[in-house]
Structure formats: C-alpha cells, structure tokens
C-alpha cells in the first residue's frame, strides 16, 4: 500500500453529536468535526464525512477505510421501530420449559417482535449429553403453523455455545423447508452460555436484521456519494471492529459501541494502556476502564430496551454530570436535569437565564472561546462555586468505585465537557487531557482492531482442550469480522468455575483481535 492509500475515516454517532475524524497511517488526526445527530442518523453521518473530506481536499482519494460506530440498533429497540417479526425456537424440552421465551420482555416490545414460539425436544447437559433427541417434526409443524407471519427465525439450544450441532441441524432443516434465503440466527454465534439472556440477545439480533441492512447500505450510499474507493467497517461493543457483512448478520453487537469507542480512543490519544476514562458530555459523564488498551467488560447482565442480555459490554458507570447540567440556585442542588443541546441559548454564558455547570466552570476562565460569564448576583455565584466542589466529589467517588481500590491509575479526560474535571483527584495518579479529546470516540472507531469472541464449557481436566477450542473459534470469528489472518491473535482468556456440578467444570471465554486485513474488497455495488 502506498502512502496515498493510507487514510482512514472514523465516525461515531452519539445522541447529540456525530463526530468524524480522518487519520493517516501513523494515527495522526488530519481533520475532525462535530455535526448534529439527525433523527434518521444518516444525515449526521453524511454531514460529518463531507466536512472532514473537505478539510483534506485533494487527499480524499487516499481514504481506504471508513469505520462507523452507531446508535441505530439501540434507537430501534428503544423506539420499537423497524423491528422484524421473529419466530423463536428453543431446544431444551422438557427441562427448559419453565420460563417461556420472551416472558420477561416489556409487553409492547414483545408484541412488536414475537411471531410465535416453540419449546422443542433438544439441547444438552453440561457434559454434552443430549437432554432429548432433536424434535424435527415438531419444528416443521411449528413453522407451518405460523407460515407467512414471520420475517426471521431465532434458534437457541441449551449449552449450544459448547455443543452447537443441534442448532446447526435446525438451520439446515429450516432452509430445506422454507428456502435457502431464510433469515436464521443461531444463539451460538451471539452470546455466552446463560440460556434466557442468550436467547434474548439472539431474538433482538433477529429483530434488527432489517435495521442492520438499512444502516449498512446507508453507509455504503454515503461512501458512494463521496466517490470513495474504501472498505467499510462497523464498531462492536467490545472495542473492536467488524466487516459490513458481519455487521449485517450481527447488528446486536453494535449496541454499546459508543462508550467502547470513547475508551479505545482515550487510550490511544493518551498512550495509557491501563487507566480510568471519563467521557464528559452535555448531560452525563460516562466512566470506564482501560485494561491493556481495551475496555474492561462488565460481568453483569446488561439491559437493553427493557430486555436483559448477557453479551459482552463495556463496564460503564454513568453519573449525572455534564456541561448542560442545571444548577438550582434556590436549593443548591446540581442536576439531574440538563438543558442538553439547548445550552447554546439557555445557559448564562450564551445569554440565557439557566445556570449550568458550564457557567460554573466559567467562574475561573471561560471554557467557550469568545464567551464570558455575565455579571451575576452573589447567591448565584456561590451556588455555581459550590457546584464545582460537588462535581469533584462525585467524580472522585465514581473513579474510586471503578478502580476497585487501585490507586496507581491515571484519569484520562475526553469529551466536550472535559473542562468540568478538576486537574487533580486524590484517587488518580494524574489527570491526562490528550489532544483531540473532544472527538475521542471517532478516533476510537478509526483505530480499532477487528475482533471475535467464543466460549466453551468443559470438565476441569479438559481445561486446556477447552481453551484451544475456544481460541480457534474466536480467531475464526475475528477473521470473519475482517482481521488479517496472519496477524490475528488471542488477546484475552477468561476462566470461570461452574458451581453445582457433579464434576468440577470451567467456562472458558476467549477474545481474539488483529489489525484489519489489507486484502479487503472495495465497496460493493448497491442493489
């Protein structure tokens, strides 16, 4: 690859702003912008990409990759919009029938998504013994009973991540019965071992397949409009990337990619491989942890749109502190309300009448070039000054909670409201404010590796074989996501003992990652 083919664009879609950057082969930021996020998401992406391309002017032909982190899937779930109708198949009867599919979903979401469900004979015990033979005829009867009323099928088997054969057989039966182009999603590809949460994630993924198609092709349209000869990637929720085809098949993996991008970008811009990161926005501050350059992942189930899932998400702590957070002069209370995107007309610094934390920061020196705090009465000034002490205390407590008692980690500050963070905190070794901190999330998208994850359960005496099997599967998924086959490697191995088993057993989770393949094809033609 020549120097002229080594520019990358990173885009991150947030609730308020869509950030875009251009990076060269050395990771230097050549152009950056913030554009308002639009209701259809695509408008903000289009504006951001166009602006940074204008800044690099005659080097636009050198852009070879476009990476996107988007809230499109999350918004579709929360708004109950554009979701597909899903036929849900669970393999685990008779033991896995106590809690029917989607029982814990909000009624309105279940109504939008569920086309019908069947709990069929199948699934496995912990040691791989089948619970029951696969009920093939029951599967066919179920499909015929809801013919024409579903768009996709979600299949979940008990312990299928370790014993995947039954799910794969169901896939083959369905394609033979209703056609090779059937949209079928297997839980072994989506989430870890826990049955209900994995099933929930698989059904959400199936429900999002039309949304994924729309946003992936919208990105292709933007790239085509700009005349770019570039390969496109999407950010995953673990701080890695996936190819466009992979994203279209696994849209649920994009949920949570925003915080992951911020953490990856903060680590890259600061050079800190182990640190606490705080991303300060207009309404909240999101704190996370960098471990060996990647976001530390939460071990707790994650709720999305009222649905509990167990796929990997960054360990994020959100506190109600942002540039638009309202300071109530009468009570002295700080937040939780915020003027949000209206700060440019409602905050004191902009000629409005509502005191905010941005105004508090302006007591010392204005964080907004060309703006100064108007004269305020003594009571308002005292309330603003007290709010800064409150911010310091809240951030100190949040950093302590995430650090798990460690006192040797720096705090990396990113986001547009980073001026609210004090220059010193007793719980952090230092406070780092890297260049381009305001667009760290887009930088994180642009510099990420392609990744994959796999799990395997085995008796403790078969631990090494389980690690090897999970490693091979994780590497294969990373390559499928777009990693260079010659450079992908295992970056994390987690072993969790399993309780209440007749023999000691362990659950092995492996993450693999690698640089993006340079052999990727250029943008495919739009249909």
């Amino acid at each position: 690859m020549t120097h002229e083919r080594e520019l990358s664009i990173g885009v991150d879609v947030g609730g308020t702003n869509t950030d875009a950057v251009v990076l060269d082969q050395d990771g230097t930021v050549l152009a950056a912008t913030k554009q308002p996020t639009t209701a259809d998401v695509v408008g903000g992406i289009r504006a951001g990409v166009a602006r940074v391309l204008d800044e690099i002017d005659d080097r636009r032909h050198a852009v070879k990759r476009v990476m996107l982190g988007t809230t499109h899937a999350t918004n579709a779930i929360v708004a109950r919009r554009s979701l597909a109708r899903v036929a849900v198949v669970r393999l685990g009867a008779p033991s896995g029938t106590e809690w029917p599919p989607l029982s814990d979903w909000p009624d309105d979401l279940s109504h939008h998504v569920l086309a019908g469900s069947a709990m069929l004979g199948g699934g496995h015990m912990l040691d791989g013994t089948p619970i029951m033979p696969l009920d093939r005829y029951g599967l066919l009867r179920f499909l015929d009973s809801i013919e024409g009323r579903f768009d996709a099928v979600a299949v979940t088997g008990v312990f299928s991540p370790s014993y995947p054969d039954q799910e794969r057989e169901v896939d083959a039966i369905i394609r033979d019965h209703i056609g090779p182009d059937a949209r079928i999603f297997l839980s072994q590809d989506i989430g870890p071992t826990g049955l209900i949460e994995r099933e929930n994630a698989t059904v959400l993924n199936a429900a999002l397949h039309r949304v994924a198609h729309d946003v992936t092709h919208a990105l292709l349209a933007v790239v085509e409009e700009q005349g770019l000869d570039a390969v496109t990637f999407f950010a995953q929720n673990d701080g890695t990337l996936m190819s466009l085809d992979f994203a279209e098949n696994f849209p649920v993996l994009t949920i949570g990619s925003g915080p992951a991008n911020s953490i990856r970008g903060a680590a890259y811009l600061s050079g800190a491989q182990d640190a606490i990161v705080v991303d300060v926005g207009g309404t909240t501050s999101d704190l996370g942890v960098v471990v060996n350059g990647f976001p530390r992942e939460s071990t707790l189930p994650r709720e999305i749109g009222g649905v509990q899932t167990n796929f990997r998400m960054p360990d994020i702590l959100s506190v109600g502190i942002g540039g638009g957070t309202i300071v109530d002069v009468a009570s002295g209370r700080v937040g939780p309300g915020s003027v949000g995107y209206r700060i440019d007309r409602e905050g004191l610094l902009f000629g409005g009448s509502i005191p905010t934390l941005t105004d508090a920061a302006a007591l010392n020196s204005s964080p907004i070039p060309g703006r100064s705090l108007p004269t305020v009465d003594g009571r308002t000034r005292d309330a603003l000054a007290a709010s800064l002490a409150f911010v310091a205390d809240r951030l100190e407590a949040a950093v302590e909670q995430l650090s798990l008692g460690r006192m040797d980690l720096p705090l990396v500050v990113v986001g547009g409201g980073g001026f609210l963070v004090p220059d010193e905190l007793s719980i952090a070794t230092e406070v780092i404010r890297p260049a381009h901190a305001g667009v760290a999330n887009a930088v994180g998208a642009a510099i990420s590796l392609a990744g994959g994850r796999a799990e395997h359960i085995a008796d403790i005496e078969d631990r090494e074989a389980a690690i090897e099997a999970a490693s091979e599967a994780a590497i294969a998924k990373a390559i499928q996501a777009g990693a260079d086959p010659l450079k992908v490697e295992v970056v994390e191995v987690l072993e969790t003992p399993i309780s209440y088993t007749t023999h000691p057993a362990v659950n092995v989770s492996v993450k693999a990652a690698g640089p993006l393949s340079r052999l990727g094809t250029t943008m495919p033609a739009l249909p």
Side-chain angles (χ1 to χ4, degrees):
M1 303 291 290
T2 66
H3 179 74
E4 288 299 312
R5 293 287 299 159
E6 294 183 352
L7 301 184
S8 299
I9 293 178
V11 182
D12 188 271
V13 182
T16 302
N17 293 309
T18 295
D19 297 346
V21 298
V22 178
L23 270 64
D24 67 12
Q25 62 178 349
D26 299 320
T28 302
V29 178
L30 302 180
T33 186
K34 279 183 178 290
Q35 298 291 324
T37 295
T38 55
D40 65 354
V41 176
V42 180
I45 297 172
R46 180 177 287 113
V49 171
R51 178 62 63 86
V52 294
L53 286 175
D54 286 344
E55 290 190 31
I56 62 173
D57 196 18
D58 59 348
R59 294 192 63 190
R60 60 189 296 134
H61 65 279
V63 174
K64 62 184 177 64
R65 293 182 181 125
V66 179
M67 295 84 154
L68 174 68
T70 175
T71 60
H72 211 68
T74 306
N75 294 342
I77 296 170
V78 173
R80 289 26 174 174
R81 184 182 65 241
S82 303
L83 299 175
R85 299 281 288 171
V86 181
V88 181
V89 176
R90 181 190 295 174
L91 310 177
S95 63
T97 60
E98 184 69 21
W99 192 258
L102 279 61
S103 294
D104 58 346
W105 284 41
D107 291 340
D108 62 333
L109 182 57
S110 176
H111 174 75
H112 273 83
V113 170
L114 184 61
S117 65
M119 295 183 285
L120 305 175
H124 294 83
M125 305 292 284
L126 179 63
D127 62 359
T129 303
I131 297 172
M132 287 285 286
L134 179 61
D135 185 358
R136 298 170 180 81
Y137 294 108
L139 172 64
L140 297 177
R141 287 194 300 270
F142 168 64
L143 294 174
D144 289 341
S145 71
I146 59 171
E147 183 179 1
R149 303 204 304 270
F150 64 93
D151 306 302
V153 184
V155 184
T156 305
V158 177
F159 284 120
S160 64
S162 295
Y163 310 105
D165 291 348
Q166 283 187 353
E167 284 191 358
R168 292 173 182 168
E169 185 174 352
V170 168
D171 181 284
I173 292 172
I174 296 174
R175 294 187 190 281
D176 183 64
H177 189 64
I178 66 176
D181 296 328
R183 300 295 297 173
I184 305 168
F185 299 88
L186 307 181
S187 74
Q188 61 189 261
D189 300 322
I190 305 296
T193 303
L195 176 66
I196 299 300
E197 292 85 357
R198 173 163 44 91
E199 180 177 70
N200 287 345
T202 306
V203 176
L204 284 177
N205 192 73
L208 289 166
H209 83 266
R210 289 192 305 215
V211 173
H213 177 274
D214 291 346
V215 73
T216 53
H217 284 263
L219 179 60
L220 288 178
V222 171
V223 172
E224 185 177 60
E225 288 169 7
Q226 294 296 334
L228 300 178
D229 181 19
V231 184
T232 49
F233 295 88
F234 274 71
Q236 299 191 67
N237 50 28
D238 66 352
T240 61
L241 296 170
M242 53 185 168
S243 66
L244 211 65
D245 290 342
F246 199 83
E248 192 162 342
N249 286 321
F250 303 106
V252 76
L253 297 181
T254 66
I255 296 172
S257 62
N261 285 342
S262 292
I263 294 171
R264 283 281 291 157
Y268 175 79
L269 292 171
S270 66
Q273 290 296 296
D274 296 278
I276 305 290
V277 173
V278 57
D279 184 359
V280 188
T283 302
T284 63
S285 294
D286 296 329
L287 292 92
V289 184
V290 176
V291 179
N292 293 326
F294 284 92
R296 186 177 74 192
E297 296 174 352
S298 174
T299 58
L300 300 175
R302 307 293 293 189
E303 188 174 286
I304 300 165
V307 178
Q308 188 163 283
T309 68
N310 67 346
F311 54 80
R312 297 291 180 173
M313 296 278 280
D315 188 5
I316 299 296
L317 176 62
S318 294
V319 295
I321 293 173
T325 299
I326 297 171
V327 179
D328 189 318
V329 175
S331 66
R333 186 173 64 248
V334 179
S338 171
V339 297
Y341 63 86
R342 302 186 309 275
I343 190 171
D344 62 353
R345 56 183 181 272
E346 295 185 357
L348 299 181
L349 207 59
F350 298 90
S353 60
I354 301 177
T356 69
L357 287 178
T358 297
D359 302 317
L363 287 174
N364 301 319
S365 60
S366 177
I368 310 297
R371 296 280 179 177
S372 58
L373 189 67
T375 302
V376 295
D377 59 61
R379 188 179 183 187
T380 299
R381 179 172 289 274
D382 290 344
L384 291 175
S387 71
L388 293 178
F390 172 83
V391 168
D393 290 341
R394 285 291 303 276
L395 290 177
E396 188 99 23
V399 171
E400 184 174 14
Q401 182 176 339
L402 277 179
S403 66
L404 303 178
R406 290 187 61 177
M407 302 286 289
D408 59 342
L409 295 174
L411 177 68
V412 181
V413 181
V414 297
F419 53 79
L420 293 176
V421 181
D423 289 331
E424 293 184 6
L425 290 174
S426 63
I427 197 67
T429 56
E430 61 177 322
V431 175
I432 302 174
R433 304 178 190 272
H436 305 293
V439 290
N441 45 7
V443 172
I447 55 92
S448 291
L449 307 174
R453 180 180 291 279
E455 290 202 356
H456 197 81
I457 291 177
D459 289 341
I460 194 68
E461 57 264 26
D462 298 325
R463 166 183 167 275
E464 292 186 5
I467 293 175
E468 182 177 355
S471 298
E472 290 178 359
I475 288 173
K477 287 185 178 181
I479 294 171
Q480 184 185 3
D484 187 335
L486 299 179
K487 297 181 180 179
V488 64
E489 60 183 3
V490 171
V491 297
E492 181 182 84
V493 177
L494 297 176
E495 300 179 54
T496 307
I498 298 177
S499 305
Y500 308 112
T501 58
T502 55
H503 301 286
V506 63
N507 182 62
V508 176
S509 175
V510 176
K511 177 178 178 178
L516 297 172
S517 173
R518 292 175 178 264
L519 303 178
T521 57
T522 56
M523 184 184 71
L526 291 172

